[in-house]
Amino acid sequence: MKATDVRAKTEDELKTELETLKKEQFNLRFQRATGQLENTARVRQVRRDIARIQTIMRDKRVGA
């Protein structure tokens, strides 16, 4: 997910996307703990996407 794509979304869409990513992050952590995780790079990707969304949400709040 690119920052330009995230900036184009509304606040509600960002909240929904953030919630989805946090659920996915939980599931990935659980899979890693049980040894079922196949795509280990996805953990890093999700973590960075969460940070990107949170940063842009904050920018929108402060800038508005």
Side-chain angles (χ1 to χ4, degrees):
M1 177 181 314
K2 295 189 175 196
T4 54
D5 299 336
V6 176
R7 288 186 195 282
K9 294 185 178 185
T10 65
E11 188 78 22
D12 291 333
E13 290 173 331
L14 290 175
K15 285 180 184 178
T16 305
E17 184 71 26
L18 185 62
E19 185 178 312
T20 304
L21 285 171
K22 286 193 178 223
K23 286 179 184 178
E24 183 179 355
Q25 183 184 34
F26 174 79
N27 290 331
L28 290 171
R29 283 195 339 247
F30 200 85
Q31 287 176 8
R32 183 170 46 184
T34 59
Q36 297 176 350
L37 184 62
E38 293 180 12
N39 185 4
T40 56
R42 184 68 182 145
V43 175
R44 183 178 183 186
Q45 229 175 11
V46 169
R47 192 174 69 236
R48 288 186 177 195
D49 284 345
I50 289 172
R52 185 173 293 119
I53 289 173
Q54 288 176 335
T55 301
I56 291 173
M57 285 175 67
R58 184 183 176 284
D59 286 348
K60 284 186 176 189
R61 270 184 272 141
V62 170

